[in-house]
Amino acid sequence: MKVVDTREYVSMLRELVEDGKEVSMLISGSSMAPFLIHERDSICFKKPDRELKKGDMVFYQRATGQYVMHRICKIKPEGYYMIGDAQKEIEGPLERGQIFALITKVRRKGKWMGPGDFWWDFFEHVWIRIIPIRRFVVKAYSIISRSRK
């Protein structure tokens, strides 16, 4: 296995996206859990070909240069507001120019899915609307899961 600098790697993928290609990569980090898990799941993404909306997963570059893949939770005149599925803090506003890719499908637990699949739609339409109570939902799920074992 070869270790590569994440910023350098995503910069290369970004160039491919800007050239009209759809690319994929393995998830790194835990901010999109429980939907996407670090080093288990993958994403495919391309240059946005439609208006972005609340619930979309997008790739963007922070002012610091860091690349991040999160979900749009609000769109206001001053910009886009983002949040990871595992987070409580909303980031923003970001300028539209900072967003360079739209996630088109994911490989979760070995299965490819996209819009229309139950878990995709759940996280896009339900999870994004329950930010204040997410930690309680995750805790309850954890307790239920342990009691079934």
Side-chain angles (χ1 to χ4, degrees):
M1 175 187 281
K2 183 178 179 181
V3 177
V4 207
D5 176 67
T6 304
R7 191 176 294 182
E8 189 177 312
Y9 177 62
V10 178
S11 290
M12 181 193 71
L13 294 178
R14 182 178 183 172
E15 286 180 30
L16 292 171
V17 165
E18 288 172 358
D19 286 342
K21 306 282 191 275
E22 184 170 25
V23 297
S24 66
M25 69 178 281
L26 186 66
I27 288 294
S28 176
S30 60
S31 68
M32 289 301 287
F35 184 51
L36 300 172
I37 304 300
H38 173 73
E39 293 186 352
R40 180 194 75 185
D41 300 327
S42 300
I43 58 172
C44 282
F45 53 96
K46 67 179 185 176
K47 189 174 187 172
D49 57 359
R50 61 168 174 75
E51 285 294 316
L52 299 173
K53 63 185 184 353
K54 180 177 180 171
D56 280 343
M57 287 181 288
V58 295
F59 235 127
Y60 59 96
Q61 189 171 22
R62 288 180 171 147
T64 63
Q66 181 184 23
Y67 288 105
V68 182
M69 190 273 295
H70 280 163
R71 199 176 292 279
I72 298 172
C73 71
K74 288 186 237 175
I75 303 172
K76 293 190 171 188
E78 66 271 15
Y80 293 79
Y81 292 81
M82 309 293 184
I83 192 166
D85 289 346
Q87 298 177 320
K88 296 180 298 183
E89 299 297 319
I90 296 170
E91 174 183 2
L94 280 84
E95 296 175 12
R96 173 61 182 87
Q98 291 176 262
I99 301 169
F100 65 90
L102 174 67
I103 300 349
T104 57
K105 61 184 174 180
V106 301
R107 190 176 71 196
R108 183 176 189 261
K109 297 182 180 178
K111 179 186 172 217
W112 283 103
M113 66 175 64
D117 286 297
F118 175 80
W119 287 113
W120 180 285
D121 291 348
F122 173 81
F123 281 93
E124 180 178 17
H125 300 292
V126 178
W127 195 252
I128 195 70
R129 287 170 170 77
I130 63 168
I131 294 166
I133 64 166
R134 284 179 177 179
R135 69 175 192 220
F136 302 113
V137 173
V138 170
K139 189 170 187 165
Y141 177 78
S142 173
I143 291 167
I144 292 166
S145 293
R146 275 189 261 137
S147 69
R148 289 183 181 173
K149 291 180 183 178

